[in-house]
């Protein structure tokens, strides 16, 4: 499967640099418009880690991105995801879209594989026909230089007035701070030991990315959580960026 349709979620502690959330509920979560303040130790660690992986290796990782994600899902299979029910809690549009649409029928859903950075969605989906698009732990797996191609592709099939629902890793998330020296590909962009990559978003970067492609910003905020890793006896800060961007009713 192609990296651009891979959904990165929180994984078990056995997967490098990612910690699985076990605390659910509003008591452990809050929303904010600014990133958290790093401790002196965390700031020093990031300041020291300025060496980037060579251009040759970065090119190799880009070419092998699909293979690395295919191997990841082959290893983890269905154990990778757990249904934590937060999608319908955080994005009410999803529940309404499914339950209120008389045409909703799982037997009629069209499933297809594509690389959102190069395969035209219009080959499978009519223009201006989609009510809601989910980009949930997807965009972070894509090279920053290609992210705009994904948004352009989606824009063509999204109905005017409808939204892209986004959630992904935020800057200074604990999984970012766990990367060891030699894992950095660029600003806020890292590679795991298995060759899969992850970008960590600021709300400013995401806003500029969407608005440059003609979207309107509806919501764009950080979700701050405390996550318990029982295996390591840790309670660590998780930071995600959760947003909604709308296709204007009239093209700008």
């Amino acid at each position: 499967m192609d990296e651009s349709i891979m959904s990165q979620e929180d994984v078990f502690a056995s997967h490098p640099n990612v910690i699985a959330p076990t605390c659910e509920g509003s008591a452990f979560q809050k929303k904010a418009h600014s990133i958290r303040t790093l401790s002196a130790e965390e700031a020093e660690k990031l300041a020291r880690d300025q060496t980037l992986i060579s251009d040759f290796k970065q090119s190799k990782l880009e070419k092998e991105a699909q293979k690395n994600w295919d191997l990841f899902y082959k290893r983890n299979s269905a154990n990778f995801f757990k249904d934590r029910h937060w999608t319908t809690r955080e994005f009410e549009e999803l529940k309404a879209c499914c339950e209120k649409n008389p045409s909703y029928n799982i037997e009629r859903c069209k499933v297809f594989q594509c690389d959102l950075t190069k395969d035209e969605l219009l080959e499978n989906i009519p223009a201006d026909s989609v009510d809601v698009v989910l980009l949930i732990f997807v965009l972070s797996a894509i090279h920053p230089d290609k992210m705009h191609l994904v948004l352009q592709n989606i824009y063509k099939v999204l109905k005017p007035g409808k939204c892209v629902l986004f959630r992904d890793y935020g800057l200074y998330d604990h999984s970012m701070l766990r990367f060891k020296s030699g894992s950095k590909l660029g600003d806020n962009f890292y590679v795991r030991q298995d060759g899969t990559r992850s970008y960590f978003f600021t709300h400013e970067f995401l806003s500029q990315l969407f608005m440059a492609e003609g979207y309107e910003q509806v919501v764009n905020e950080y979700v701050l959580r405390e996550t318990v890793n029982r295996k390591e006896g840790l309670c660590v800060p998780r930071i995600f960026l959760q947003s909604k961007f709308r296709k204007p009713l009239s093209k700008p």
Side-chain angles (χ1 to χ4, degrees):
M1 298 181 71
D2 292 322
E3 65 159 340
S4 37
I5 58 173
M6 290 297 99
S7 179
Q8 294 183 75
E9 247 293 12
D10 297 296
V11 233
F12 303 109
S14 58
H15 184 59
N17 305 312
V18 185
I19 285 187
T22 56
C23 297
E24 292 291 325
S26 58
F28 298 91
Q29 174 173 305
K30 65 178 181 178
K31 296 181 180 179
H33 294 285
S34 58
I35 57 178
R36 75 178 181 90
T37 302
L38 293 174
S39 68
E41 182 181 0
E42 291 169 334
E44 182 181 356
K45 178 183 183 298
L46 290 180
R48 289 197 309 266
D49 187 17
Q50 296 299 320
T51 303
L52 301 183
I53 291 176
S54 69
D55 291 342
F56 173 79
K57 187 173 181 179
Q58 293 213 34
S59 178
K60 186 172 185 289
L61 287 168
E62 179 68 18
K63 292 177 181 177
E64 297 178 351
Q66 176 180 336
K67 182 187 75 172
N68 289 335
W69 277 112
D70 285 346
L71 290 173
F72 172 84
Y73 278 89
K74 184 178 181 180
R75 286 192 303 271
N76 291 278
S77 185
N79 295 325
F80 181 52
F81 296 103
K82 284 190 175 181
D83 187 358
R84 303 186 186 277
H85 309 291
W86 62 265
T87 48
T88 50
R89 182 186 72 231
E90 298 291 339
F91 298 122
E92 295 179 358
E93 295 91 337
L94 295 181
K95 188 174 181 180
C97 179
C98 292
E99 294 182 351
K100 294 182 180 180
N101 190 332
S103 300
Y104 178 72
N105 184 341
I106 58 173
E107 296 179 356
R108 298 177 57 194
C109 291
K110 182 173 184 179
V111 178
F112 61 94
Q113 177 177 315
C114 76
D115 181 339
L116 287 172
T117 66
K118 61 183 180 182
D119 298 334
E120 282 282 353
L121 287 175
L122 290 173
E123 294 179 1
N124 289 281
I125 304 172
D128 301 331
S129 66
V130 174
D131 290 289
V132 61
V133 173
L134 303 184
L135 280 181
I136 297 178
F137 296 96
V138 172
L139 212 56
S140 58
I142 297 171
H143 195 289
D145 291 347
K146 295 184 177 181
M147 290 179 183
H148 70 286
L149 299 174
V150 175
L151 303 187
Q152 291 173 6
N153 207 355
I154 290 171
Y155 193 94
K156 299 172 186 176
V157 299
L158 188 63
K159 286 182 180 178
K162 300 301 182 179
C163 289
V164 176
L165 307 182
F166 175 96
R167 179 154 160 154
D168 219 318
Y169 297 112
L171 186 67
Y172 303 151
D173 178 63
H174 183 71
S175 61
M176 174 180 172
L177 301 177
R178 280 168 57 100
F179 280 105
K180 296 179 180 179
S181 179
S183 303
K184 192 170 184 178
L185 300 167
D187 289 342
N188 309 333
F189 194 37
Y190 294 83
V191 62
R192 302 184 182 92
Q193 293 176 8
D194 61 5
T196 61
R197 300 170 299 176
S198 187
Y199 185 86
F200 296 84
F201 292 89
T202 65
H203 68 81
E204 295 93 346
F205 175 84
L206 190 69
S207 179
Q208 293 171 6
L209 189 67
F210 270 88
M211 295 180 71
E213 303 306 326
Y215 294 86
E216 299 172 339
Q217 180 173 300
V218 179
V219 178
N220 190 21
E221 58 192 2
Y222 295 101
V223 174
L224 311 179
R225 296 176 56 84
E226 287 186 352
T227 295
V228 172
N229 183 319
R230 292 192 177 97
K231 182 179 178 180
E232 298 185 12
L234 298 174
C235 187
V236 297
R238 302 309 310 270
I239 304 175
F240 307 112
L241 192 58
Q242 186 165 297
S243 314
K244 298 178 188 179
F245 291 91
R246 180 172 52 218
K247 181 176 180 178
L249 287 171
S250 58
K251 191 172 181 180

